[in-house]
Amino acid sequence: MTGFSKLATVESKLLLRDPGAIFSMAVPLFILMIFGSGTSPGDTALPSMSMTIAVGLVGLYMVPTTLATYRERGILRRLSTTPVSPGALLSVQLILQLAYAVLASALLVTVSVAIFQAALPARIAAMVVTFLLGTSAIFAVGLLIAATAASGRAANGIGVLLYFPLAFLGGLMQPKTAMPELLATIGEFTPLGLFRQAVHDAWSGAATQPLLLATMVAYTVVVGLIAARFFRWE
């Protein structure tokens, strides 16, 4: 087994033991179970919202907290003296966190369709593209938090503080129609707002909005480059 494979195995076990992973899976599932009984058959709004909550928690809470904690404890610095580089750990973490976001989303889709009779995703290819682009944009923000936070606890706090206003603006706490027009417009172009709307479009069969996808790409590239510029290994 190569060093990369060993690292992936170890990190997988640590991820599954992380209370944050349980939290990120349980919260959107709980919301879906609580409010799902009030939806009509074929609904796609609540499942899309639940998926956005899950990916948002992974990207804005788990990613920055884990990486900042590793830096704080000197793990990234120590890896620089071994054949397994800090960059390998970063890659493994992002892959595992993406896999966990996929797992959480798949569970939410299954529960939505099997228990609450939500419609099956109408455009699978568009859903996959939207999921990857949206997750990349959200993860880029998480990496920026990890790059600038002084400690794991600070990253945790920043992620939580950032998550709630983004969730509000993105329409995860109340319908966009109940928000002031200016806030609703701003919310459409936040990472969570983009993800929710694009997923809902793909799930319901609506036409893909190129502007939403382009904005996701812009978040990924611009915020990702800023995160890379300021990321500290120790």
Side-chain angles (χ1 to χ4, degrees):
M1 183 181 291
T2 65
F4 191 89
S5 299
K6 290 180 180 178
L7 183 61
T9 301
V10 172
E11 291 300 314
S12 298
K13 294 178 180 178
L14 292 175
L15 175 63
L16 294 176
R17 297 172 185 170
D18 184 358
I22 299 174
F23 176 80
S24 298
M25 181 80 77
V27 168
L29 183 59
F30 175 78
I31 291 174
L32 179 62
M33 296 298 292
I34 291 296
F35 295 102
S37 59
T39 61
S40 57
D43 175 68
T44 57
L46 180 61
S48 301
M49 183 187 74
S50 300
M51 186 184 295
T52 306
I53 293 172
V55 175
L57 287 173
V58 173
L60 299 178
Y61 171 67
M62 291 178 60
V63 169
T65 300
T66 301
L67 295 178
T69 298
Y70 280 8
R71 181 177 61 238
E72 180 185 9
R73 294 178 178 175
I75 295 174
L76 300 180
R77 174 174 48 79
R78 289 196 295 270
L79 280 176
S80 64
T81 64
T82 71
V84 181
S85 67
L89 177 60
L90 176 61
S91 300
V92 166
Q93 271 296 322
L94 291 178
I95 292 171
L96 290 178
Q97 301 284 9
L98 174 60
Y100 194 79
V102 170
L103 177 63
S105 298
L107 175 62
L108 291 168
V109 172
T110 301
V111 172
S112 297
V113 174
I115 298 180
F116 299 113
Q117 300 180 330
L120 286 167
R123 302 171 61 229
I124 301 297
M127 176 77 83
V128 172
V129 171
T130 293
F131 183 88
L132 292 176
L133 291 180
T135 301
S136 298
I138 294 169
F139 276 28
V141 177
L143 285 173
L144 181 58
I145 296 172
T148 54
S151 64
R153 180 173 294 183
N156 188 325
I158 295 170
V160 171
L161 287 175
L162 185 61
Y163 176 83
F164 284 103
L166 289 179
F168 172 79
L169 290 171
L172 303 184
M173 295 184 176
Q174 62 178 348
K176 288 171 51 180
T177 54
M179 298 170 60
E181 184 176 353
L182 177 59
L183 290 182
T185 301
I186 293 173
E188 290 178 357
F189 295 96
T190 61
L192 297 184
L194 290 165
F195 188 91
R196 184 197 59 77
Q197 184 61 55
V199 166
H200 183 258
D201 288 344
W203 201 324
S204 64
T208 300
Q209 302 180 51
L211 179 60
L212 299 185
L213 302 184
T215 307
M216 291 178 184
V217 173
Y219 268 111
T220 302
V221 174
V222 175
V223 179
L225 288 175
I226 296 173
R229 169 66 179 81
F230 289 100
F231 197 89
R232 296 174 290 110
W233 298 109
E234 55 181 297

